Amino acid sequence: HGATRKFFIFNYANNTHMEFKDIVKELRLEKGLTQNELAKKLNFSMSVINKWENGKKNPSVDSLKILAKYFDVTIDYLLGMER
């Protein structure tokens, strides 16, 4: 135990991987929000947003549902399972 499971999105066009941390950061920046602003809008702590974006913590299923609804993407997209 102790190993952190990572979520990946695979980009077939240029053969690169994007992790959940990069996906959530990209979605946040597309909305022009700071970590603090996103945290306030979704009722999360800024600390948890920061940990997600730094790859130190993965989201819970409930958090994934909230993120997917807010960003209008699927949970599969957030987890990197959708191309």
Side-chain angles (χ1 to χ4, degrees), residues 7 11-12 26 40 46 50 54 64 69 75-77:
F7 299 122
N11 183 326
Y12 287 87
E26 186 174 274
K40 285 181 180 175
M46 192 181 97
N50 185 271
N54 285 304
L64 285 169
K69 185 173 181 179
I75 290 174
D76 282 357
Y77 179 84

Side-chain angles (χ1 to χ4, degrees), residues 11-37:
N11 183 326
Y12 287 87
N14 60 15
N15 203 32
T16 60
H17 287 87
M18 270 182 75
E19 295 180 44
F20 167 80
K21 66 186 185 83
D22 301 314
I23 297 167
V24 75
K25 183 176 183 176
E26 186 174 274
L27 290 169
R28 174 180 62 78
L29 292 175
E30 282 176 8
K31 285 196 175 275
L33 299 172
T34 64
Q35 289 181 348
N36 192 43
E37 289 166 337

